[in-house]
C-alpha cells in the first residue's frame, strides 16, 4: 500500500499569492499600496510623506508576522491577528466598565464593591425602588423578622474569646480584618488597615508573613503562624520558642492563630523566590536575604491532633495566657472530628477555630485549588459547628468565619449558622481603594494595595484610607444592627438557624436547619451512628489525621 502524501507546505510569502491569501493579508497589503500612493502624492506636497510613519511599520510588522513560526494566527493573518490580542488586553476593562451588570462581577459584583465603597466614603448606601435580586432564584436566602422588633440593638457588638484555659481572654469586634501578609499587600495598605483597626476598635490578622513594622500602627493584632513559622523560626525553618515568646508577649498581639489551611488554596504551600526576598522581608520573616523562602504544605511542629493541641497549649503558655486557636478550610470531615476527639481525650481546648471558606481570596493560587478544592464557608461552618456541639465543646471553643463577608446580611447569615464573629479581607481592601483589577500576582496593582512598587504605593495615602476602613466597619455593623433588631434580637450571636431561610427552587423554601443537618448537643457522644457523621466519627483518630478505618469499606458494608 502506498503511503499517502501530505499537501505541499507553502513557505515564505507564497501562501498569500492567491485570493484567500490576499484577503488574510489585507492589512500589510493595504499598507504596501498606501505607501506607494503616499510616495506619489509627495510630488504635490512633502507633507504626504508623514503618512509613511504609519504605513511602513504596519507593512514591516505584517511581513514579520507572515514569516515568523511561533504563532499560527499571526502567521496566517499578519498584523490583523494582533488586533485580537489588543481586545484580549482590553477585555477586562470593557467588561468591568461597559458590559458587566450590577450583579454579575466575580468574585464580587459591582453592587457589592459599590456598597463597600459607599460605606467607606460615608456616602448614601440606601437602595431605591426595591431589591435587584430575584427572590424566586434557587440561591436566594433571607432572614426572618419579628412582629416585635428590638428597640436598642447593640451598634458595636463584641464577643469574648478565650476558653477555660485562657488567662487573658480578648474582647473582639464581630467584624475584623482577615489574614493578609505584608508582601502580598503593600506597606501603605498594611499601615492603613492597622490604623483603621485602631480607629474602629477591631483586630487586624497579620497573615502568615509575620509581624511587620507596618502592622504596628496601634491596631490590635492576631498573629497568624503558618507552616513556615515566619517571625518565629530558627535557621532550619523550625519553630523557635524564644522568638515566638518575644513577639507574642507584646501587648499589641491579642491572639495567636495557627494556620492549617487557607480557603483559596487548601493543602498548598508556597514559595517566595529568592530575588523577591528583600532585606526587609528577610528580617521580618527570619529568613536569609535573597534565598528562596518556602512555606511547606504542612507543619513540622506537629503531625497529629493531639500533638497540635500540645503545641497550641505551649504557645498559650509562652504568650502569657493569650487565646490560641486554629484556622482551616474544612476538607475531610473525619479530621475535624479527630480534633474534637483530641480535645476530649487530652482536655486541652482550643480557644477558637476560624473556618475559612473556599470562596476566600488570595494573591495567587492554582486555579484548580481555588475553584474546586475545599468546602465553601456555609458547609464548612456547619461541619465545625456540628463537631463542637455534638461533642459538648461548643461552650469552650469560639467559632470565627471568613469568606466573602462584605455586608450586614453576610455577617448575619454566618451568625445564624453558628459563627461568633467574622473576618473579611477583600472588602477591607475595597475600603482602602482596591478596584478588583485582579493584578495582585503581577505586582502592578493600580491602587497601590497589592504591590511592592513604591511608585504605585504613593497613591495610597495611609491616614485617608485608615479613616475609610474604620468607616466601612462602623457602617456595616450599623447595617447588621438593623437586621438583628428586625429579628427581635439585640446581639447578632442570638441569631439561630431557624432565622435563616433558604430557597429550594421556585416553589419551596426551608429554614437552613431543615436544609442542612444541624446535630443536637452531645449527639456525637450519645449516638453518633444516628448522625450523618457516623462514618467520619468512626474514622476520626485523635492520634492521627489519617482515618483509623477504611471509609470506603465502611460505607460499602453500611
Amino acid at each position: 500500500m502506498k503511503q499517502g502524501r501530505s499537501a505541499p507546505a507553502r513557505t515564505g510569502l507564497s501562501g498569500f499569492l492567491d485570493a484567500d491569501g490576499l484577503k488574510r493579508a489585507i492589512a500589510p497589503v493595504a499598507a504596501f499600496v498606501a505607501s506607494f500612493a503616499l510616495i506619489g502624492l509627495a510630488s504635490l506636497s512633502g507633507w504626504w510623506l508623514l503618512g509613511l510613519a504609519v504605513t511602513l511599520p504596519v507593512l514591516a510588522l505584517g511581513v514579520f508576522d507572515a514569516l515568523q513560526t511561533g504563532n499560527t494566527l499571526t502567521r496566517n493573518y499578519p498584523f490583523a491577528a494582533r488586533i485580537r490580542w489588543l481586545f484580549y488586553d482590553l477585555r477586562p476593562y470593557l467588561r468591568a466598565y461597559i458590559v458587566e451588570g450590577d450583579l454579575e462581577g466575580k468574585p464580587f459584583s459591582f453592587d457589592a464593591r459599590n456598597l463597600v465603597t459607599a460605606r467607606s466614603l460615608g456616602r448614601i448606601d440606601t437602595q431605591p425602588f426595591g431589591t435587584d435580586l430575584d427572590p424566586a432564584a434557587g440561591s436566594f436566602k433571607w432572614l426572618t423578622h419579628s412582629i416585635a422588633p428590638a428597640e436598642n440593638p447593640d451598634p458595636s457588638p463584641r464577643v469574648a474569646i478565650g476558653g477555660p484555659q485562657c488567662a487573658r481572654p480578648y474582647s473582639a469586634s464581630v467584624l475584623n480584618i482577615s489574614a493578609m501578609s505584608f508582601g502580598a499587600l503593600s506597606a501603605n495598605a498594611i499601615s492603613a488597615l492597622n490604623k483603621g483597626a485602631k480607629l474602629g476598635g477591631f483586630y487586624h490578622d497579620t497573615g502568615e508573613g509575620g509581624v511587620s513594622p507596618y502592622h504596628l500602627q496601634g491596631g490590635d493584632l492576631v498573629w497568624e503562624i503558618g507552616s513556615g513559622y515566619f517571625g518565629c523560626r530558627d535557621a532550619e525553618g523550625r519553630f523557635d520558642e524564644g522568638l515566638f515568646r518575644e513577639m507574642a508577649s507584646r501587648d499589641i498581639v491579642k491572639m495567636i492563630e495557627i494556620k492549617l489551611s487557607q480557603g483559596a488554596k487548601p493543602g498548598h504551600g508556597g514559595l517566595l523566590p529568592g530575588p523577591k526576598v528583600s532585606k526587609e522581608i528577610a528580617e521580618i520573616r527570619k529568613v536569609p536575604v535573597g534565598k528562596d523562602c518556602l512555606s511547606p504544605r504542612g507543619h513540622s511542629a506537629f503531625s497529629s491532633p493531639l500533638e497540635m493541641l500540645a503545641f497550641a497549649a505551649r504557645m498559650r503558655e509562652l504568650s502569657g495566657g493569650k487565646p490560641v486557636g486554629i484556622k482551616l478550610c474544612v476538607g475531610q470531615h473525619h479530621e475535624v472530628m479527630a480534633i474534637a476527639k483530641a480535645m476530649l481525650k487530652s482536655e486541652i481546648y482550643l480557644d477558637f477555630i476560624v473556618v475559612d471558606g473556599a470562596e476566600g481570596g488570595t494573591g495567587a493560587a492554582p486555579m484548580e485549588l481555588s475553584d474546586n478544592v475545599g468546602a465553601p464557608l456555609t458547609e464548612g461552618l456547619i461541619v465545625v459547628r456540628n463537631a463542637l456541639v455534638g461533642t459538648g465543646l461548643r461552650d469552650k471553643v469560639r467559632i470565627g468565619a471568613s469568606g466573602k463577608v462584605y455586608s450586614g446580611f453576610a455577617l448575619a447569615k454566618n451568625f445564624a449558622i453558628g459563627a461568633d464573629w467574622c473576618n473579611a479581607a477583600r472588602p477591607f481592601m475595597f475600603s482602602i481603594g482596591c478596584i478588583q483589577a485582579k493584578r495582585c500576582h503581577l505586582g502592578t496593582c493600580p491602587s497601590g494595595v497589592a504591590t511592592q512598587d513604591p511608585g504605585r504605593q504613593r497613591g495610597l495615602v495611609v491616614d485617608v484610607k485608615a479613616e475609610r476602613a474604620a468607616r466601612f466597619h462602623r457602617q456595616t455593623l450599623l447595617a447588621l444592627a438593623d437586621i438583628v433588631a428586625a429579628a427581635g434580637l439585640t446581639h447578632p450571636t442570638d441569631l439561630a438557624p431557624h432565622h435563616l431561610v433558604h430557597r429550594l427552587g421556585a416553589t419551596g423554601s426551608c429554614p437552613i436547619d431543615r436544609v442542612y443537618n444541624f446535630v443536637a448537643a452531645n449527639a456525637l457522644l450519645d449516638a453518633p451512628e444516628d448522625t450523618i457523621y457516623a462514618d467520619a466519627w468512626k474514622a476520626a483518630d485523635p492520634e492521627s489525621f489519617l482515618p483509623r478505618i477504611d471509609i470506603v469499606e465502611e460505607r460499602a458494608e453500611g
Side-chain angles (χ1 to χ4, degrees), residues 386 388-392 518-531 533 537:
N386 284 343
L388 295 177
V389 171
T391 54
F518 283 68
V519 304
N522 299 316
L524 293 173
L525 300 179
D526 297 337
E529 66 278 2
D530 294 336
T531 74
Y533 303 107
W537 183 257

Side-chain angles (χ1 to χ4, degrees), residues 28 30 42 54 66-67 83-84 98-99 108 119 142 189 199 201 221 238 310 329 409 434 460-461 508 517 525:
V54 175
L67 296 177
I83 299 174
R84 178 175 179 268
I98 300 175
V99 179
F108 288 84
R119 287 179 172 166
W142 69 92
L199 292 171
L221 291 180
R238 296 169 300 200
C329 176
F409 175 75
C434 170
L460 198 163
V461 181
N517 285 277
L525 300 179

